[in-house]
Amino acid sequence: MKARSPSHVVPYRRIWPLFIFLLAGCLPQVIRPQPPQVALADLQIASLSLPSGEVTLRFDLQMTNPNPYPLPLLPSLLKVKIGGADFPIQVSGATLEPHQPTLVPAQLNFSLGQGLGAATELLSLQPVPLTVEGVFYFSLGSARWSIGPLLLAQKVLQLRLFPPGLSISN
């Protein structure tokens, strides 16, 4: 029996990578949706009680889903920083419809006693920086993912004595 010359041997070592590549193309692919655009649409002082020091800030986040299918927003977390104090707030879940802006409300309740650093800065009657950041969680089927942290707003708060209140400016 005659031995085959190397030129007649099928180069299996060269075919394996091609075979694996073709096989990988048959596996189901996980589709990762495009992240929605998120912007702070509105920030208002819902209530302020100077005797008790209770403050309620209301946020409206405008979220636009760029995907051609609805995108479920899971409960997510925002961080509001007033002066040197951080306040976490939860954003409730919502369904973002395709290509439509959706307003997602959030609310922060705190007393000036809770954020002593923020209270001290606000009571100085000087402008105090306010920053809003967020991490948003989404699901699609069994897949879950997050986007962020996103910087949503940088504003300035200032306590007014006459008329009593809190002003927000850029």
Side-chain angles (χ1 to χ4, degrees):
M1 190 179 218
K2 204 172 173 184
R4 292 187 177 194
S5 68
S7 63
H8 293 282
V9 177
V10 177
Y12 290 110
R13 285 183 227 158
R14 292 183 191 158
I15 292 178
W16 275 110
L18 179 62
F19 179 71
I20 297 295
F21 179 74
L22 290 173
L23 191 59
C26 298
L27 296 175
Q29 301 296 316
V30 175
I31 298 171
R32 185 175 173 114
Q34 292 182 342
Q37 292 114 13
V38 182
L40 184 66
D42 193 19
L43 170 61
Q44 294 181 358
I45 301 160
S47 68
L48 170 67
S49 173
L50 286 182
S52 68
E54 295 289 324
V55 179
T56 301
L57 297 177
R58 195 190 64 178
F59 302 85
D60 284 331
L61 304 171
Q62 181 174 318
M63 304 182 87
T64 304
N65 175 10
N67 300 292
Y69 42 82
L71 195 58
L73 169 68
L74 300 173
S76 299
L77 218 54
L78 289 180
K79 181 174 82 172
V80 178
K81 186 170 185 167
I82 301 172
D86 289 345
F87 301 97
I89 59 174
Q90 184 100 6
V91 176
S92 59
T95 298
L96 307 180
E97 295 301 326
H99 308 291
Q100 293 180 18
T102 303
L103 284 181
V104 178
Q107 186 168 298
L108 170 62
N109 300 311
F110 68 97
S111 69
L112 295 179
Q114 284 178 308
L116 192 54
T120 304
E121 290 184 58
L122 285 170
L123 292 174
S124 73
L125 303 179
Q126 298 299 314
V128 177
L130 170 112
T131 305
V132 182
E133 295 179 335
V135 176
F136 297 95
Y137 300 95
F138 297 91
S139 71
L140 194 59
S142 62
R144 302 211 179 331
W145 77 98
S146 66
I147 60 167
L150 301 174
L151 178 62
L152 301 172
Q154 286 185 310
K155 304 278 184 180
V156 174
L157 294 177
Q158 189 162 13
L159 186 64
R160 293 187 320 263
L161 294 179
F162 302 104
L166 195 59
S167 65
I168 300 171
S169 61
N170 289 331

